[in-house]
Every structure is written in structure tokens, then in C-alpha cells.
Amino acid sequence: MQSQELFSLAEAGDTNAQFHLGAMFYEGRGAAQDYAKAADWFGRSAGGGYHEALNMLGVMHYHGQGVRQDFTRAADCFRLAERYSFNDEPLYDDIAADWRDRLLSPEAVDNKRQFLHRARVLGGEARYGIGSGLCGTAAETAVSHAARGLFGSAAALGNGRAMYSLGVMCRDGQGVRASKTRALMWFMLADRAGLAKAREARAALEAGMQQAELERAEKLMRRWLRVYPADTELAAAA
């Protein structure tokens, strides 16, 4: 589609055209890169119900691209996109990569504290997505701890995929002391959330455990559910 035609459609209120015009200015593709114009067109598109634009607005507010940097507004955009079932994990990976660099800086402790504080306003799926992106360098202590913190807070909101990821970390000793009992607890919770691979992981782990360990995992799961009784976020089988 020619730029002039795209612009005409966007001006006429076509949300798809508005989104692609925003992307054109954001990427500097077919026009000079202009973050302010990109944010304007993404905003119009999102206002018309084009949910993919919400994620792009979230990224721009997160990085302060063409708009004032505002982590709360970024979180609101991600949360709305999540509510409308639009999840773009590569965007979460982009944010995770940004924070991975910060977490490994000399000010890692302060950055980790800021990171987890800002993440608290995100929805469960966004927390899971960013945590997954951070796990790319799980060998780094600061990063793996931040990922675990994100998974834990997402699990508290009922996110099944975060529960499964915590199970894997506990089973394999990734950034945490290996514990079959705690791993089983997380797999059981993820299984309750409807995650197919959690059921498989649970069965494989249970096969090599003693009865006392199984009972301990069951007790831990019931304790978790008493503290966090919220409905689980049903996760699509992966």
C-alpha cells in the first residue's frame, strides 16, 4: 500500500491503517523516523479498538520514545492488551533485554528493586512474558532472581505458565536450590490451571518420589491456595 493511500485511510479512521502508519514512523520505514508521530497514530489506532497498538504504546511509554517515560502508563497499556487477549511476547522480550542489561550493571541491586517494584503494576501474563525473556541468561544470579520474582508474582495472580516455570526452576535448580517437592507443588498448581505440559511434568516427577514427599507437595499446594485463592488464569497448552 502506498504511503499516501495509507495516510488517507488513517485520516478517515481506519484503525489498521493508523497502526501501520504508526509502525512506519516508529521504524523509519517509508518515512523519516518520528517517535512522536508514531505515538500519535498508535494512540488513535488503540482508541479505535486496535489492540496491537496498545502493546506498541506500552513499549513507547516504557522507553520514553516520543512520549514522557511513564512505567505506570506502559503497564496500563500492556494490561489492556492482555485483557483483550493480545499478547506479544517478543515485545516483552525487548523489555526484558533492556532490564537484563540494567540488572547486570554495577547498580544491579538497586535496579532489581526498581524493576520488581515497577513490575507489580503489570498483569500476570505480562509478568510471565518478561520473566521468560529474562530467563535467557538464567546463569546470572541477579537476572534469575528477578525472573523468579516475576514468576512468583504472576503465579500469585493465578498465571499457570508462571507456575510451570517455577516448577522447572525448582526441579532443575535454576537460580534456586533444587527441590522435587516444591517443583511438584508448582506443577500441580499449573496442572490445576489447565496447562497440559504441567500434567506431564507432574506425572514424570511423581514417579520417582516417595509417599512422604508426595504428601508434602500436596500440603504445600493447599497452603498456597489458602493464601492465593484467586481463580487461575487458564493457560493455553504449549
Side-chain angles (χ1 to χ4, degrees), residues 73-196:
R73 188 174 291 274
D76 287 341
C77 290
F78 289 136
R79 192 160 44 207
L80 279 171
E82 183 177 325
R83 182 182 302 168
Y84 291 118
S85 299
F86 182 87
N87 298 310
D88 192 339
E89 290 187 28
L91 292 181
Y92 298 147
D93 288 346
D94 177 59
I95 293 174
D98 173 42
W99 274 101
R100 185 182 301 127
D101 292 340
R102 300 186 190 202
L103 287 165
L104 297 178
S105 72
E107 301 81 20
V109 175
D110 288 338
N111 283 330
K112 177 190 172 187
R113 188 179 299 116
Q114 292 172 18
F115 176 53
L116 294 178
H117 174 73
R118 289 163 181 163
R120 279 202 293 268
V121 297
L122 297 173
E125 187 64 20
R127 298 185 200 194
Y128 165 77
I130 297 173
S132 295
L134 285 172
C135 278
T137 55
E140 300 288 354
T141 301
V143 171
S144 61
H145 284 183
R148 188 178 63 186
L150 284 165
F151 288 147
S153 61
L157 294 176
N159 187 276
R161 294 202 289 174
M163 294 169 180
Y164 176 81
S165 294
L166 285 167
V168 171
M169 294 180 83
C170 290
R171 182 193 64 193
D172 300 341
Q174 297 176 355
V176 64
R177 182 173 59 85
S179 170
K180 290 191 294 184
T181 302
R182 289 198 173 276
L184 181 57
M185 178 199 78
W186 289 119
F187 288 146
M188 291 167 72
L189 286 167
D191 185 10
R192 286 172 58 93
L195 197 66

